[in-house]
Amino acid sequence: MWPNIRRAVGCLGIPHAASSPGIVTISVGLAATQAGQDSDPAMLVGAADRALYAAKRQGRNCIRVAAVG
């Protein structure tokens, strides 16, 4: 799903002067846990945030998944 959304937004060609490709792109950071597994929501949000900033550091317009647990 996320790769399709990322591609669809890029195909819109929305101008963005501050972006190196010159158009709006999407960077995504994901974190997940197993259903029923004891997890801390703040830890998941923190992991997703770190994955998002890793995506931005690695060139933007990409998806990164956090290692959780």
Side-chain angles (χ1 to χ4, degrees):
M1 174 179 76
W2 286 107
N4 294 337
I5 293 170
R6 190 181 54 79
R7 275 190 228 100
V9 169
C11 287
L12 292 173
I14 301 168
H16 184 344
S19 173
S20 61
I23 60 171
V24 171
T25 61
I26 292 178
S27 297
V28 178
L30 297 172
T33 188
Q34 295 289 323
Q37 187 176 14
D38 203 20
S39 61
D40 174 23
M43 183 268 313
L44 282 173
V45 170
D49 192 54
R50 286 188 298 279
L52 170 62
Y53 282 94
K56 290 181 179 227
R57 278 192 309 276
Q58 295 170 11
R60 300 181 180 253
N61 195 29
C62 62
I63 300 165
R64 293 294 172 259
V65 179
V68 177

